[in-house]
Amino acid sequence: MVNLTDRQEQIISIVKKRDFITGEDISSILKTKRSAIRSDLTLLTMIEILGVESNKGYFYQGLDKRILLAESIKSYKVKDIMSLPIVISEHLSIYDAIATLFLENVGTIYVLRDELLCGVVSRKDLLKCTLDGLDLQNTPVKDIMLRMPNIKYVFSDMTVYECAKEIVDSQIDSLPVVKETKFKNKFKVIGRITKTNITKLFVEFGSEIDYREI
Ligand code: ADP
C-alpha cells in the first residue's frame, strides 16, 4: 500500500475528470511548474493509478476503491471466521432445546441424527412451540425442526461473501458449515456462520484499513 500526498490526490482528481490530460495542463491547473510534479506523475504511473499514452497524455486507470474493497471482502473464507456449532440430538425434548439455546447463548441449534445434520431449530421455531401449547418436556425436537433438504448450508472453503448473500436472500440468521461424508447428501456439522461473525469481520475490516492508504 502507498500513502499518497495531498498533491498526488489532487493530480488524481484532475486526471479523473478528463479522458486524457498532458503534464503541462496538470501543472497549469495546479499553478505550478511541470518539473514540480514530475516525480508525482512518475510515482502515480508506476503504481498504475495513472496511465500515460504518447501524444495524448495521462489518463486515470487506478483501480476504483470499491473494486479493491470488493476484492478484499471476497478474499475471506468461511473457515477464517466460523464459530463452533451448537448441536443436539433429534431426540432431545423441545424444553431441553430451549435450555440449550439459553445456556449456549445462540439463536439457532443444529440437530443431528447419527452424528449427521438432519435439522435446524431457531429461537422463533421454539417460541412458536410454546405459543402452540405443545408438551415441551415430552415432544422431541425432531417433531418440529426444519429438515433436510430444506436446510441451507455452506462449506468451509466458500467465501464469507457467499454466506452473507445466502443469509440475506434466505432471511435467516445463521448457516451451518458442513463437511461431506461417504453418504450422498449427508453432512457432518463442523461450524456455523452467523450475522454476528460477519458483523465482527466488517468492524475488523473497517478498523484496519485507512482509506487514504488504498
Ligand atoms: P429467528 O428464529 O431468530 O427468526 P432465523 O431468522 O435464523 O431465526 O430463522 C427464521 C426461520 O428460518 C426459522 O423457521 C428457521 O427454522 C429457519 N432457518 C434458520 N436457519 C436456517 C438454515 N440454515 N436453512 C434453512 N432454514 C433456516
Side-chain angles (χ1 to χ4, degrees):
M1 286 196 215
V2 179
N3 277 315
L4 299 179
T5 61
D6 287 346
R7 165 62 57 86
Q8 289 158 356
E9 298 266 18
Q10 274 177 311
I11 294 174
I12 292 169
S13 71
I14 291 167
V15 179
K16 259 185 179 175
K17 288 184 191 129
R18 318 268 191 99
D19 286 343
F20 286 96
I21 181 166
T22 63
E24 282 303 329
D25 288 346
I26 297 172
S27 54
S28 76
I29 291 170
L30 289 172
K31 298 188 175 56
T32 181
K33 287 196 179 127
R34 170 82 175 82
S35 57
I37 59 164
R38 184 160 293 131
S39 60
D40 293 323
L41 288 171
T42 307
L43 179 107
L44 292 173
T45 319
M46 245 170 55
I47 59 176
E48 296 181 346
I49 290 182
L50 300 187
V52 60
E53 269 188 32
S54 50
N55 305 326
K56 285 183 165 176
Y58 293 92
F59 60 97
Y60 177 73
Q61 65 167 7
L63 285 176
D64 193 281
K65 285 172 183 165
R66 288 169 63 99
I67 294 174
L68 282 176
L69 274 175
E71 279 177 358
S72 300
I73 286 167
K74 285 183 176 172
S75 72
Y76 284 86
K77 298 278 184 187
V78 168
K79 56 174 167 268
D80 300 330
I81 66 158
M82 69 187 192
S83 317
L84 283 176
I86 303 305
V87 296
I88 55 173
S89 152
E90 63 172 344
H91 302 297
L92 204 73
S93 68
I94 297 173
Y95 184 92
D96 287 339
I98 295 173
T100 308
L101 198 83
F102 279 102
L103 281 173
E104 301 289 351
N105 194 20
V106 289
T108 311
I109 305 175
Y110 305 124
V111 186
L112 306 183
R113 176 182 304 149
D114 299 330
E115 313 273 297
L116 302 174
L117 178 65
C118 70
V120 165
V121 276
S122 75
R123 66 194 124 197
K124 221 182 285 157
D125 299 332
L126 294 168
L127 204 59
K128 186 169 178 301
C129 296
T130 65
L131 290 178
D132 289 348
L134 293 188
D135 179 354
L136 305 181
Q137 305 270 10
N138 295 306
T139 312
V141 278
K142 75 178 163 66
D143 289 4
I144 59 109
M145 69 188 185
L146 180 103
R147 296 155 195 277
M148 280 296 223
N150 298 320
I151 302 171
K152 306 280 184 192
Y153 54 83
V154 289
F155 296 101
S156 64
D157 57 355
M158 284 169 70
T159 63
V160 174
Y161 173 74
E162 287 172 290
C163 291
K165 227 177 151 304
E166 183 68 76
I167 283 176
V168 171
D169 291 346
S170 303
Q171 299 185 331
I172 52 181
D173 286 351
S174 84
L175 290 162
V177 183
V178 300
K179 201 168 112 180
E180 274 170 341
T181 63
K182 58 183 179 181
F183 308 108
K184 197 168 177 268
N185 292 329
K186 303 249 184 211
F187 303 101
K188 266 196 174 311
V189 184
I190 58 167
R192 77 190 149 97
I193 287 280
T194 64
K195 283 182 180 171
T196 308
N197 294 127
I198 297 170
T199 309
K200 277 186 184 160
L201 178 65
F202 186 84
V203 170
E204 201 179 298
F205 203 72
S207 63
E208 264 177 23
I209 293 185
D210 178 351
Y211 218 54
R212 281 176 54 91
E213 286 181 40
I214 296 175

